[in-house]
Amino acid sequence: MIKKIKIAKALSARVTSRVAAILMVFTLNSVFAAEQPVAEPAAEVNCMGCHQETQKTPIHAIWQTPHGKVLGKNNQTCVACHGPSVEHGKVPRDNSPSLSFGPKWPSQFNEQSAVCLGCHEKGNQLMWLSGVHNDEQLSCLSCHNIHARIDDVLVRLEQSETCFTCHKSVQASAHMQSNHPILEGKTTCVDCHNPHGNISEHSLNEPTVNDTCFSCHAEKRGPFLFEHAPVAEECTICHKPHGSVNASLLKTRGPFLCQQCHSAAFHPSVQHDGSGLPNSGQGSEFLIGKNCLNCHSQIHGSNHPSGSRLTR
Protein backbone atom coordinates (compact mmCIF):
# COMPACT_ATOMS: atom_id res chain seq x y z
CA MET A 1 0.00 0.00 0.00
CA ILE A 2 2.79 2.37 0.97
CA LYS A 3 4.59 1.51 -2.30
CA LYS A 4 1.48 2.42 -4.34
CA ILE A 5 1.20 5.76 -2.57
CA LYS A 6 4.85 6.59 -3.36
CA ILE A 7 4.33 5.70 -7.03
CA ALA A 8 1.20 7.89 -7.19
CA LYS A 9 3.07 10.83 -5.66
CA ALA A 10 5.94 10.41 -8.15
CA LEU A 11 3.56 10.35 -11.13
CA SER A 12 1.70 13.37 -9.77
CA ALA A 13 4.94 15.31 -9.43
CA ARG A 14 6.02 14.36 -12.96
CA VAL A 15 2.66 15.43 -14.44
CA THR A 16 2.75 18.67 -12.48
CA SER A 17 6.24 19.51 -13.82
CA ARG A 18 5.19 18.83 -17.43
CA VAL A 19 2.07 20.95 -17.07
CA ALA A 20 4.20 23.74 -15.66
CA ALA A 21 6.61 23.51 -18.58
CA ILE A 22 3.77 23.66 -21.10
CA LEU A 23 2.25 26.67 -19.39
CA MET A 24 5.63 28.41 -19.45
CA VAL A 25 5.96 27.82 -23.22
CA PHE A 26 2.50 29.25 -23.88
CA THR A 27 3.29 32.23 -21.69
CA LEU A 28 6.57 32.96 -23.53
CA ASN A 29 4.87 32.64 -26.93
CA SER A 30 2.19 35.09 -25.83
CA VAL A 31 4.83 37.57 -24.71
CA PHE A 32 6.79 37.32 -27.98
CA ALA A 33 3.58 37.57 -30.02
CA ALA A 34 2.60 40.71 -28.19
CA GLU A 35 5.95 42.30 -29.02
CA GLN A 36 5.59 41.60 -32.77
CA PRO A 37 3.72 44.23 -34.83
CA VAL A 38 0.40 43.04 -36.17
CA ALA A 39 0.34 43.08 -40.00
CA GLU A 40 -2.46 45.13 -41.39
CA PRO A 41 -4.58 43.53 -44.11
CA ALA A 42 -3.44 44.49 -47.60
CA ALA A 43 -5.52 47.12 -49.32
CA GLU A 44 -7.64 45.81 -52.16
CA VAL A 45 -8.13 47.54 -55.49
CA ASN A 46 -11.58 47.59 -57.02
CA CYS A 47 -10.46 46.88 -60.58
CA MET A 48 -13.91 46.39 -62.07
CA GLY A 49 -15.13 49.59 -60.47
CA CYS A 50 -13.22 51.55 -63.09
CA HIS A 51 -12.45 49.09 -65.88
CA GLN A 52 -15.94 48.61 -67.21
CA GLU A 53 -16.81 46.37 -70.13
CA THR A 54 -16.90 48.12 -73.49
CA GLN A 55 -16.85 46.94 -77.08
CA LYS A 56 -13.41 48.47 -77.53
CA THR A 57 -11.99 46.99 -74.34
CA PRO A 58 -13.73 43.67 -73.63
CA ILE A 59 -11.98 43.25 -70.28
CA HIS A 60 -14.71 41.17 -68.68
CA ALA A 61 -14.27 38.49 -71.32
CA ILE A 62 -11.37 37.21 -69.23
CA TRP A 63 -13.90 35.36 -67.06
CA GLN A 64 -14.57 33.14 -70.08
CA THR A 65 -10.89 32.26 -70.50
CA PRO A 66 -8.89 29.59 -68.69
CA HIS A 67 -7.16 32.30 -66.67
CA GLY A 68 -10.44 33.66 -65.31
CA LYS A 69 -11.82 30.20 -64.57
CA VAL A 70 -8.70 29.12 -62.66
CA LEU A 71 -8.16 32.26 -60.62
CA GLY A 72 -11.81 32.99 -59.82
CA LYS A 73 -14.23 35.72 -60.78
CA ASN A 74 -12.89 38.49 -58.56
CA ASN A 75 -9.97 40.86 -58.29
CA GLN A 76 -7.68 37.92 -57.65
CA THR A 77 -7.51 37.40 -61.39
CA CYS A 78 -6.33 40.96 -62.03
CA VAL A 79 -3.85 40.99 -59.14
CA ALA A 80 -2.37 37.66 -60.18
CA CYS A 81 -0.95 39.25 -63.34
CA HIS A 82 -0.92 42.99 -62.65
CA GLY A 83 0.26 42.84 -59.04
CA PRO A 84 -1.39 44.57 -56.05
CA SER A 85 -1.45 47.94 -57.88
CA VAL A 86 -2.49 49.74 -54.66
CA GLU A 87 -1.12 53.12 -55.76
CA HIS A 88 -2.82 52.74 -59.12
CA GLY A 89 -6.15 52.35 -57.36
CA LYS A 90 -5.90 55.75 -55.68
CA VAL A 91 -7.49 58.91 -57.08
CA PRO A 92 -6.17 60.66 -59.11
CA ARG A 93 -4.72 57.69 -60.97
CA ASP A 94 -1.30 59.00 -61.90
CA ASN A 95 0.47 55.77 -60.97
CA SER A 96 0.78 52.74 -63.19
CA PRO A 97 -0.27 49.27 -62.08
CA SER A 98 2.44 47.23 -60.42
CA LEU A 99 2.85 45.53 -63.77
CA SER A 100 1.38 47.08 -66.89
CA PHE A 101 0.88 45.43 -70.28
CA GLY A 102 -0.70 48.42 -71.99
CA PRO A 103 0.80 51.23 -74.06
CA LYS A 104 0.31 53.97 -71.44
CA TRP A 105 2.53 52.51 -68.70
CA PRO A 106 4.38 49.65 -70.42
CA SER A 107 6.54 47.50 -68.19
CA GLN A 108 9.75 45.91 -69.43
CA PHE A 109 9.22 43.00 -71.82
CA ASN A 110 11.07 40.59 -69.53
CA GLU A 111 8.92 41.63 -66.57
CA GLN A 112 5.78 40.92 -68.56
CA SER A 113 7.02 37.50 -69.65
CA ALA A 114 8.12 36.68 -66.11
CA VAL A 115 4.48 36.87 -64.97
CA CYS A 116 3.41 34.32 -67.59
CA LEU A 117 6.39 32.08 -66.90
CA GLY A 118 5.34 31.94 -63.28
CA CYS A 119 2.75 29.37 -64.41
CA HIS A 120 3.75 28.51 -67.98
CA GLU A 121 7.29 27.33 -67.32
CA LYS A 122 7.14 23.79 -68.66
CA GLY A 123 6.38 22.02 -71.91
CA ASN A 124 6.68 24.16 -75.03
CA GLN A 125 7.53 27.25 -72.97
CA LEU A 126 10.57 25.67 -71.32
CA MET A 127 13.13 27.31 -73.65
CA TRP A 128 11.56 30.77 -73.83
CA LEU A 129 14.43 32.64 -72.17
CA SER A 130 16.90 31.29 -74.74
CA GLY A 131 14.54 31.66 -77.70
CA VAL A 132 14.84 34.14 -80.56
CA HIS A 133 11.58 35.94 -79.71
CA ASN A 134 12.83 36.72 -76.22
CA ASP A 135 16.14 37.87 -77.74
CA GLU A 136 14.14 40.26 -79.94
CA GLN A 137 12.59 41.71 -76.76
CA LEU A 138 9.10 40.39 -77.42
CA SER A 139 6.83 39.38 -74.58
CA CYS A 140 4.02 36.86 -74.45
CA LEU A 141 1.51 39.68 -75.03
CA SER A 142 3.20 40.46 -78.36
CA CYS A 143 1.37 37.45 -79.79
CA HIS A 144 -1.30 36.46 -77.24
CA ASN A 145 -4.47 38.30 -76.23
CA ILE A 146 -5.17 37.28 -72.64
CA HIS A 147 -8.52 39.05 -72.20
CA ALA A 148 -10.09 37.67 -75.38
CA ARG A 149 -12.45 34.73 -75.02
CA ILE A 150 -10.70 33.05 -77.96
CA ASP A 151 -7.06 33.92 -78.56
CA ASP A 152 -6.56 34.31 -82.33
CA VAL A 153 -3.08 32.85 -82.22
CA LEU A 154 -4.56 29.55 -80.99
CA VAL A 155 -6.94 29.31 -83.98
CA ARG A 156 -5.37 27.48 -86.93
CA LEU A 157 -6.89 29.73 -89.59
CA GLU A 158 -5.88 32.90 -87.73
CA GLN A 159 -2.50 31.90 -86.33
CA SER A 160 -0.47 32.63 -89.44
CA GLU A 161 -1.69 36.25 -89.50
CA THR A 162 -0.06 36.80 -86.11
CA CYS A 163 3.23 35.36 -87.36
CA PHE A 164 3.03 37.33 -90.62
CA THR A 165 2.95 40.56 -88.62
CA CYS A 166 6.73 40.25 -88.36
CA HIS A 167 7.67 37.55 -90.88
CA LYS A 168 6.77 39.37 -94.09
CA SER A 169 9.04 37.34 -96.37
CA VAL A 170 7.36 34.14 -95.20
CA GLN A 171 3.97 35.71 -95.86
CA ALA A 172 5.02 36.50 -99.44
CA SER A 173 6.28 32.93 -99.94
CA ALA A 174 3.00 31.50 -98.67
CA HIS A 175 1.20 33.19 -101.62
CA MET A 176 3.46 31.64 -104.28
CA GLN A 177 2.09 28.98 -106.63
CA SER A 178 3.87 26.17 -104.80
CA ASN A 179 3.43 26.38 -101.05
CA HIS A 180 2.45 24.62 -97.89
CA PRO A 181 -1.31 25.03 -97.23
CA ILE A 182 -0.81 27.55 -94.42
CA LEU A 183 -3.38 30.04 -95.69
CA GLU A 184 -5.97 27.26 -95.88
CA GLY A 185 -5.33 26.28 -92.26
CA LYS A 186 -4.33 22.72 -93.17
CA THR A 187 -0.91 23.33 -91.66
CA THR A 188 0.34 26.08 -89.38
CA CYS A 189 3.61 27.66 -88.38
CA VAL A 190 3.69 25.76 -85.08
CA ASP A 191 3.49 22.43 -86.90
CA CYS A 192 7.16 22.98 -87.74
CA HIS A 193 8.34 25.72 -85.37
CA ASN A 194 8.15 26.28 -81.63
CA PRO A 195 7.60 30.04 -81.24
CA HIS A 196 8.53 29.82 -77.57
CA GLY A 197 12.07 28.73 -78.45
CA ASN A 198 13.97 25.52 -78.91
CA ILE A 199 17.56 24.33 -79.04
CA SER A 200 17.27 23.34 -82.70
CA GLU A 201 17.98 25.60 -85.67
CA HIS A 202 15.15 28.01 -86.56
CA SER A 203 13.33 26.90 -83.37
CA LEU A 204 12.14 23.74 -85.12
CA ASN A 205 10.06 21.22 -83.19
CA GLU A 206 12.36 18.43 -84.31
CA PRO A 207 16.15 18.27 -83.85
CA THR A 208 16.93 18.79 -87.57
CA VAL A 209 15.31 20.13 -90.74
CA ASN A 210 15.04 16.64 -92.20
CA ASP A 211 13.34 15.24 -89.09
CA THR A 212 10.82 18.08 -89.34
CA CYS A 213 10.08 17.34 -93.01
CA PHE A 214 9.94 13.59 -92.45
CA SER A 215 7.29 14.03 -89.76
CA CYS A 216 4.85 14.56 -92.67
CA HIS A 217 6.77 13.23 -95.68
CA ALA A 218 7.68 9.86 -94.19
CA GLU A 219 7.96 8.21 -97.62
CA LYS A 220 11.04 10.33 -98.32
CA ARG A 221 12.87 9.18 -95.19
CA GLY A 222 14.29 5.91 -96.45
CA PRO A 223 16.58 4.09 -95.94
CA PHE A 224 16.95 3.45 -99.65
CA LEU A 225 19.08 0.94 -101.50
CA PHE A 226 20.28 3.83 -103.66
CA GLU A 227 20.18 7.21 -101.95
CA HIS A 228 20.43 10.72 -103.34
CA ALA A 229 23.06 12.38 -101.18
CA PRO A 230 21.38 15.82 -100.81
CA VAL A 231 18.22 14.14 -99.51
CA ALA A 232 20.11 12.53 -96.65
CA GLU A 233 21.96 15.80 -95.95
CA GLU A 234 19.14 18.37 -95.85
CA CYS A 235 15.90 18.93 -97.73
CA THR A 236 16.49 22.68 -98.07
CA ILE A 237 19.38 22.07 -100.46
CA CYS A 238 16.76 21.67 -103.18
CA HIS A 239 13.51 22.92 -101.60
CA LYS A 240 12.23 26.22 -100.19
CA PRO A 241 9.97 25.22 -97.29
CA HIS A 242 7.72 28.29 -97.20
CA GLY A 243 6.92 28.63 -100.89
CA SER A 244 8.37 28.79 -104.38
CA VAL A 245 7.49 29.81 -107.93
CA ASN A 246 8.67 26.37 -109.04
CA ALA A 247 6.83 23.09 -108.66
CA SER A 248 7.29 21.00 -105.49
CA LEU A 249 8.80 23.94 -103.61
CA LEU A 250 12.01 23.62 -105.64
CA LYS A 251 14.51 26.48 -105.47
CA THR A 252 15.07 26.33 -109.24
CA ARG A 253 13.39 24.29 -111.95
CA GLY A 254 15.18 21.43 -113.63
CA PRO A 255 17.54 20.96 -115.27
CA PHE A 256 19.09 24.14 -113.83
CA LEU A 257 18.79 22.92 -110.24
CA CYS A 258 20.38 19.55 -110.93
CA GLN A 259 23.21 21.05 -112.99
CA GLN A 260 24.40 23.04 -109.99
CA CYS A 261 25.93 19.76 -108.82
CA HIS A 262 25.83 17.35 -111.79
CA SER A 263 27.91 17.92 -114.90
CA ALA A 264 29.44 14.98 -116.78
CA ALA A 265 30.83 14.60 -120.29
CA PHE A 266 29.24 11.20 -120.89
CA HIS A 267 25.76 12.51 -120.20
CA PRO A 268 23.77 15.25 -122.02
CA SER A 269 24.36 17.71 -119.20
CA VAL A 270 25.33 20.81 -121.13
CA GLN A 271 24.74 23.89 -118.99
CA HIS A 272 21.54 25.60 -120.10
CA ASP A 273 20.40 29.15 -119.56
CA GLY A 274 17.70 31.46 -120.87
CA SER A 275 19.50 32.10 -124.15
CA GLY A 276 18.30 28.75 -125.48
CA LEU A 277 14.60 29.38 -124.97
CA PRO A 278 12.34 29.79 -128.05
CA ASN A 279 11.75 33.53 -127.56
CA SER A 280 15.48 34.22 -127.84
CA GLY A 281 15.38 33.92 -131.62
CA GLN A 282 17.91 31.08 -131.80
CA GLY A 283 16.38 28.79 -129.21
CA SER A 284 14.57 25.50 -129.39
CA GLU A 285 11.17 24.57 -128.05
CA PHE A 286 12.64 21.24 -126.97
CA LEU A 287 14.55 23.02 -124.21
CA ILE A 288 11.29 23.87 -122.44
CA GLY A 289 10.45 20.23 -121.84
CA LYS A 290 13.94 19.21 -120.74
CA ASN A 291 14.08 18.14 -117.16
CA CYS A 292 16.26 15.63 -115.34
CA LEU A 293 13.18 14.38 -113.53
CA ASN A 294 11.75 13.15 -116.82
CA CYS A 295 14.05 10.14 -116.46
CA HIS A 296 15.36 10.32 -112.90
CA SER A 297 11.90 10.17 -111.37
CA GLN A 298 12.94 8.55 -108.08
CA ILE A 299 15.05 11.53 -107.15
CA HIS A 300 14.79 11.00 -103.39
CA GLY A 301 16.02 7.41 -103.54
CA SER A 302 15.30 4.02 -105.06
CA ASN A 303 14.99 0.48 -103.78
CA HIS A 304 14.88 -1.04 -107.26
CA PRO A 305 17.80 -3.37 -108.14
CA SER A 306 18.35 -1.30 -111.29
CA GLY A 307 17.80 2.04 -109.60
CA SER A 308 21.38 3.14 -109.16
CA ARG A 309 20.66 6.12 -111.43
CA LEU A 310 17.41 6.83 -109.59
CA THR A 311 15.45 6.14 -112.76
CA ARG A 312 13.11 3.55 -111.25
Side-chain angles (χ1 to χ4, degrees):
M1 186 67 179
I2 296 174
K3 186 175 181 180
K4 290 182 178 181
I5 293 174
K6 289 182 178 179
I7 294 174
K9 288 182 178 180
L11 291 174
S12 177
R14 184 175 299 176
V15 170
T16 302
S17 62
R18 289 187 177 182
V19 171
I22 293 173
L23 290 174
M24 183 178 291
V25 171
F26 276 111
T27 302
L28 291 174
N29 287 340
S30 300
V31 172
F32 289 134
E35 294 178 354
Q36 298 296 325
V38 178
E40 297 181 0
E44 293 187 0
V45 181
N46 183 16
C47 304
M48 297 306 171
C50 298
H51 296 277
Q52 298 295 325
E53 179 79 355
T54 64
Q55 185 175 3
K56 185 178 180 181
T57 57
I59 296 175
H60 293 195
I62 195 171
W63 309 131
Q64 303 177 29
T65 68
H67 294 92
K69 294 177 181 178
V70 170
L71 298 174
K73 296 184 178 182
N74 49 47
N75 285 336
Q76 181 185 359
T77 303
C78 307
V79 172
C81 295
H82 293 279
S85 305
V86 176
E87 295 299 322
H88 175 67
K90 296 179 180 179
V91 180
R93 289 176 179 81
D94 296 328
N95 298 300
S96 69
S98 300
L99 190 68
S100 174
F101 298 89
K104 186 174 182 179
W105 294 301
S107 299
Q108 294 293 324
F109 75 97
N110 54 349
E111 294 176 349
Q112 295 179 0
S113 297
V115 175
C116 304
L117 293 175
C119 297
H120 303 279
E121 58 180 351
K122 299 179 181 179
N124 291 336
Q125 295 83 25
L126 183 63
M127 304 298 295
W128 171 261
L129 293 178
S130 60
V132 64
H133 285 135
N134 182 66
D135 292 341
E136 293 295 329
Q137 300 187 0
L138 298 177
S139 69
C140 304
L141 272 295
S142 300
C143 299
H144 294 278
N145 187 352
I146 301 302
H147 290 94
R149 186 175 65 88
I150 299 177
D151 191 356
D152 289 343
V153 78
L154 301 181
V155 181
R156 292 183 68 88
L157 279 172
E158 303 293 337
Q159 184 187 105
S160 60
E161 294 301 322
T162 302
C163 301
F164 291 159
T165 303
C166 298
H167 302 280
K168 295 298 183 182
S169 61
V170 177
Q171 182 181 19
S173 298
H175 286 84
M176 293 181 178
Q177 64 179 21
S178 178
N179 56 63
H180 279 111
I182 296 176
L183 301 179
E184 295 82 359
K186 295 181 179 180
T187 185
T188 66
C189 305
V190 297
D191 289 338
C192 298
H193 302 276
N194 182 356
H196 300 103
N198 211 337
I199 58 175
S200 60
E201 188 178 10
H202 306 300
S203 296
L204 293 171
N205 292 326
E206 302 295 336
T208 65
V209 173
N210 277 19
D211 289 331
T212 302
C213 300
F214 293 154
S215 62
C216 292
H217 305 281
E219 74 282 1
K220 305 296 191 297
R221 180 187 295 272
F224 296 107
L225 181 61
F226 301 102
E227 290 186 338
H228 192 194
V231 177
E233 186 174 350
E234 188 169 303
C235 302
T236 55
I237 293 177
C238 298
H239 298 278
K240 297 179 67 175
H242 296 113
S244 173
V245 296
N246 302 296
S248 303
L249 297 173
L250 291 174
K251 289 184 172 180
T252 308
R253 65 171 292 268
F256 310 113
L257 177 64
C258 303
Q259 288 179 341
Q260 292 178 6
C261 297
H262 300 281
S263 179
F266 65 87
H267 190 277
S269 58
V270 178
Q271 292 285 346
H272 295 291
D273 55 32
S275 61
L277 295 175
N279 60 357
S280 64
Q282 299 179 350
S284 170
E285 63 274 9
F286 294 106
L287 180 61
I288 298 178
K290 286 188 175 181
N291 196 326
C292 303
L293 298 181
N294 293 343
C295 297
H296 304 279
S297 57
Q298 303 302 312
I299 197 63
H300 293 97
S302 174
N303 285 319
H304 195 279
S306 301
S308 60
R309 300 289 182 182
L310 306 179
T311 56
R312 62 185 69 189

